Amino acid sequence: MQYRAFQTPDDVNLTEMVKKAVEILKRGPNGFVLFVEGAKIDHGHHYGNAYTAIDETIELEEVVQHVMDNTDESETLIVVSSDHSHTFGINGYPERGLDMFGPSSFLAGGMQKGGPPPKLPYPIMQYANGPGGTEDWAEFEAKRARLADMSETAEWRDPHYKQIAGIYLPKETHGGEDVGIFARGPGAHLLRGSLEENVIHHVINYALCQGDFATVCDKK
Ligand SMILES: [Zn+2]
């Protein structure tokens, strides 16, 4: 599949697939499991491009909203999570109202008291590693300097632009921190605090009255 940013009207997209899947699966009398992956979020990050990664995340949000609007909260468990993070980061202290895809202010306010002020602006969004980095220091500085000149729509939001990365790698890597789990419906109250990922599997089984929970559920 293409990124949503590159799709033509003839391309199949995630929203259409999920709408059709829910429509068909709802006809079954015994419930259903539907697994949906917004996989291009991951691809956008690997290629060091925040625009496509965020645009695909917005599409996933729209898909989740559609499923919420077309299922009954009293009988359908919806779980939204991720199997890993990325090295994508947001640098703090940008002024209110700035474009998140662009640079923070040149001098970053009062943060300069601890050392000499930076000569170059810093990006609000960046990667710790990936193809937006370089092993050539002059090239790295030139890319930072360019942040001050770029018009926001011309480059920052270009689906091919590679955000600055601290360490050059041909593809950005996954990250290692915890990810969120968001849920609604039967069993959603069990998904709270810090959990191992495999707990999600057991909560789904619980909601479906199957597996270890086949005999303990109250199947009405
Ligand atoms: Zn990946």
Side-chain angles (χ1 to χ4, degrees), residues 42-43 46 84 86 174:
D42 179 65
H43 299 170
H46 280 309
H84 58 78
H86 276 266
H174 295 168

Side-chain angles (χ1 to χ4, degrees), residues 67-81:
V67 178
M68 289 173 71
D69 293 343
N70 287 276
T71 53
D72 180 351
E73 184 176 357
S74 71
E75 63 170 23
T76 302
L77 171 65
I78 299 172
V79 181
V80 180
S81 190

Side-chain angles (χ1 to χ4, degrees), residues 20-60:
K20 182 53 80 175
V22 171
E23 180 190 321
I24 293 170
L25 290 168
K26 277 174 75 175
R27 295 180 199 150
N30 299 319
F32 62 89
V33 175
L34 172 63
F35 180 89
V36 177
E37 181 173 13
K40 302 295 281 183
I41 301 169
D42 179 65
H43 299 170
H45 282 316
H46 280 309
Y47 289 97
N49 177 258
Y51 181 84
T52 48
I54 290 171
D55 186 53
E56 295 292 322
T57 305
I58 292 168
E59 183 174 30
L60 182 67

Side-chain angles (χ1 to χ4, degrees), residues 52-217:
T52 48
I54 290 171
D55 186 53
E56 295 292 322
T57 305
I58 292 168
E59 183 174 30
L60 182 67
E61 180 183 359
E62 292 166 3
V63 165
V64 172
Q65 186 65 57
H66 174 80
V67 178
M68 289 173 71
D69 293 343
N70 287 276
T71 53
D72 180 351
E73 184 176 357
S74 71
E75 63 170 23
T76 302
L77 171 65
I78 299 172
V79 181
V80 180
S81 190
S82 172
D83 53 333
H84 58 78
S85 68
H86 276 266
T87 71
F88 181 61
I90 297 175
N91 293 312
Y93 305 119
E95 282 77 8
R96 188 183 291 263
L98 288 183
D99 186 329
M100 286 289 287
F101 289 90
S104 181
S105 76
F106 201 75
L107 295 174
M111 286 301 293
Q112 308 314 323
K113 289 176 184 158
K119 297 188 183 73
L120 299 168
Y122 64 90
I124 299 173
M125 299 193 287
Q126 67 165 51
Y127 292 90
N129 69 58
T134 172
E135 291 172 331
D136 179 333
W137 184 244
E139 191 182 318
F140 189 82
E141 289 207 314
K143 187 163 183 177
R144 264 188 76 189
R146 178 136 182 74
L147 282 172
D149 304 330
M150 286 157 48
S151 76
E152 70 177 57
T153 49
E155 284 189 54
W156 301 336
R157 291 166 178 267
D158 185 331
H160 300 286
Y161 179 69
K162 307 227 183 292
Q163 260 67 32
I164 284 178
I167 294 170
Y168 168 74
L169 288 178
K171 274 177 75 178
E172 184 264 357
T173 70
H174 295 168
E177 63 268 66
D178 284 356
V179 297
I181 311 175
F182 309 93
R184 182 187 89 161
H189 64 288
L190 299 169
L191 296 169
R192 56 177 59 226
S194 289
L195 300 169
E196 291 291 334
E197 223 161 27
N198 62 61
V199 172
I200 297 172
H201 160 76
H202 297 290
V203 172
I204 292 172
N205 268 348
Y206 180 71
L208 284 167
C209 299
Q210 69 177 17
D212 292 343
F213 304 100
T215 58
V216 297
C217 279

